Every structure is written in structure tokens, then in C-alpha cells.
């Protein structure tokens, strides 16, 4: 039981700034197994954003509450996935060979493509959530974070890890993922969808996975696989696609 708790806390430590006990570290063995809890971490992060939105909605407008909610989720994760998305934008936008793309993605500096990409994806995220009835925004935020992390987990499973550097913290989780881990991640990833008022919300899984397939094709073509940044990019894109799909379902169904 303690070992399983340590695996879960390893996922918390890896993906968030939430304090963990001192005996939790980036043990490669536990990190390799922690992928099954990636979606559960999404539920936790999304719940923080949902609580922030709900609490501030009694004081501020929906728009301000949404911005504070987005700030909270970015802060609690240390912009982990946003950074990956920006790196992928810079890498695929400015590189023409695998080596060059990986070099750009590893560079800590933010380029033009990454800056524009972040501005647009955050703007779309905010605008889409604004279109959803306020009483359903908290649940939508939780579901968006959990489902998108599940889809990102499937990328790790279907695409080989391509960075050869041994100092990559993501390498153990990326190279040792199994089908059982993906299935458990899927259970946590889809769970929040059960609480929507219609089972048609499950249709949102389709465009989210298609977005992953689209990025997966590009990653396979230019890199031969994926890196941690690629998984972060998939998470961000799928989260936004989920919100947009909810808007469509809410409008036409």
C-alpha cells in the first residue's frame, strides 16, 4: 500500500507543485509506474481550478473568475504542459531536421512560434469556457484536465520516446508504459464525464483523440516518436478541443 501511495505521490511531485513528503523523490522505478495516475492528477488540478472559479464567482464576473481559475491551474502545475506546448510550437515552427527540432525544444528560451501559440491556445481556452453555462464550468474544467491527460498518456504508449539523453526526468515514464497503465489512466480520465447531464458528452472523446492522432503523425514524421514536450502539447491541445466540443454539444444537442 505504501509503495502504491509513493507511486501516486511521485506523479503528484512530477506534474505539480503540490508539496509531498520528503521520502518521495523521482525514483525511476516509481516514475515508470506513475503514468497510471496522470489522469487522476488531472482531476486534482482541474478540481483546484474548479474550486477557484466557483469561489471567486460569488465576488467577480465569470470572466475574471475564469482567468483566476486558469492562473491557479497554471501555477499549481508550474506551467508544465504549457511549456511543452510552447516548445513544440518553437521546434516544429523553426526546425527542419530531427536534431534541430529537438535542440530548439530543449532550449529554455521562448521563441516567436511558442509565444504566439501560447497566446492563442490560452485565449481559445478562455473563450470556449466562457461560452459554457456558469454552473457547468467547474465540471467542464475538471473533465478537460483529466481527459486531456489520458489522451496524452496514449501518445506515450503509441509513440516511442526519442530523446537519448539520460538526464531526462520523463524518460522512465515514457519508455516503460504498458497497456494496463493506459487503461487505468483512461478510467480516471473518463470518470468526470459521467457527471454530465447527457451521455452524449462521451462523444467529446473522439475529437480529442483525433487531435492526438494529428499531432502524433507530425511527431512521427519529424521526430520519429515523442518527447515529454510532445505529450505536454497533446494535453494542451486536447484540453482546448474538449472545451470547444462541449460548446458545440451544448449549442446543438
Amino acid at each position: 500500500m505504501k509503495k502504491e501511495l509513493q507511486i501516486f505521490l511521485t506523479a503528484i511531485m512530477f506534474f505539480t507543485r503540490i508539496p509531498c513528503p520528503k521520502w518521495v523523490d523521482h525514483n525511476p522505478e516509481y516514475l515508470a509506474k506513475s503514468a497510471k495516475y496522470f489522469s487522476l492528477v488531472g482531476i486534482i488540478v482541474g478540481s483546484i481550478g474548479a474550486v477557484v472559479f466557483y469561489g471567486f464567482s460569488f465576488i467577480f464576473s465569470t470572466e475574471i473568475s475564469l482567468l483566476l481559475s486558469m492562473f491557479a491551474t497554471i501555477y499549481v502545475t508550474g506551467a508544465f504542459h504549457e511549456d511543452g506546448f510552447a516548445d513544440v510550437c518553437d521546434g516544429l515552427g523553426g526546425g527542419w531536421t530531427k536534431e534541430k527540432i529537438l535542440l530548439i525544444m530543449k532550449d529554455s528560451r521562448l521563441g516567436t512560434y511558442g509565444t504566439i501559440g501560447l497566446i492563442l491556445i490560452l485565449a481559445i481556452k478562455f473563450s470556449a469556457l466562457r461560452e459554457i453555462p456558469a454552473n457547468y464550468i467547474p465540471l467542464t474544467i475538471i473533465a478537460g484536465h483529466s481527459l486531456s491527460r489520458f489522451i496524452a498518456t496514449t501518445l506515450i504508449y503509441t509513440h516511442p520516446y526519442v530523446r537519448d539523453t539520460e538526464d531526462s526526468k520523463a524518460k522512465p515514464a515514457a519508455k516503460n508504459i504498458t497497456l494496463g497503465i493506459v487503461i487505468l489512466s483512461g478510467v480516471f480520465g473518463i470518470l468526470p464525464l459521467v457527471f454530465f447531464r447527457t451521455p452524449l458528452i462521451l462523444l467529446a472523446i473522439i475529437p480529442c483523440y483525433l487531435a492526438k492522432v494529428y499531432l502524433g503523425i507530425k511527431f512521427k514524421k519529424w521526430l520519429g516518436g515523442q518527447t515529454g514536450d510532445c505529450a505536454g502539447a497533446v494535453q494542451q491541445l486536447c484540453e482546448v478541443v474538449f472545451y470547444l466540443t462541449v460548446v458545440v454539444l451544448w449549442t446543438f444537442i
Side-chain angles (χ1 to χ4, degrees), residues 87-105:
D87 286 343
V88 167
C89 289
D90 280 333
L92 294 183
W96 294 99
T97 65
K98 173 182 176 180
E99 292 72 21
K100 182 63 175 178
I101 293 171
L102 290 175
L103 183 63
I104 293 174
M105 288 167 61

Side-chain angles (χ1 to χ4, degrees), residues 85-185:
F85 176 80
D87 286 343
V88 167
C89 289
D90 280 333
L92 294 183
W96 294 99
T97 65
K98 173 182 176 180
E99 292 72 21
K100 182 63 175 178
I101 293 171
L102 290 175
L103 183 63
I104 293 174
M105 288 167 61
K106 193 173 179 62
D107 193 330
S108 60
R109 293 170 294 182
L110 183 62
T112 302
Y113 292 105
T115 300
I116 294 173
L118 276 178
I119 292 173
L120 288 176
I121 202 164
L122 291 174
I124 296 171
K125 186 182 300 187
F126 170 81
S127 300
L129 285 169
R130 180 63 186 86
E131 294 296 314
I132 299 169
N135 60 319
Y136 266 89
I137 288 177
L139 179 58
T140 303
I141 292 173
I142 296 171
H145 279 272
S146 65
L147 180 61
S148 60
R149 282 166 173 77
F150 162 56
I151 301 297
T153 305
T154 67
L155 177 81
I156 300 173
Y157 179 72
T158 58
H159 289 62
Y161 189 75
V162 295
R163 279 201 190 278
D164 296 325
T165 54
E166 295 298 326
D167 60 343
S168 173
K169 292 182 178 180
K171 188 173 183 179
K175 293 183 72 70
N176 296 283
I177 192 169
T178 64
L179 180 59
I181 287 175
V182 175
I183 291 173
L184 185 55
S185 178

Side-chain angles (χ1 to χ4, degrees), residues 52-66:
V52 169
F53 171 81
Y54 181 76
F56 280 113
S57 65
F58 290 100
I59 306 172
F60 302 116
S61 66
T62 298
E63 290 81 5
I64 293 177
S65 300
L66 272 175

Side-chain angles (χ1 to χ4, degrees), residues 4 8 27 39 54 75 82 97 100 110 113 117 123 148 150 154 161 164 188 194 203 210 214 217 230 239:
E4 201 62 34
F8 167 66
N27 185 302
S39 300
Y54 181 76
Y75 177 80
E82 288 81 3
T97 65
K100 182 63 175 178
L110 183 62
Y113 292 105
S148 60
F150 162 56
T154 67
Y161 189 75
D164 296 325
F188 290 125
V194 176
L203 293 174
L210 289 177
Y214 168 74
I217 291 173
C230 297
E239 184 184 345

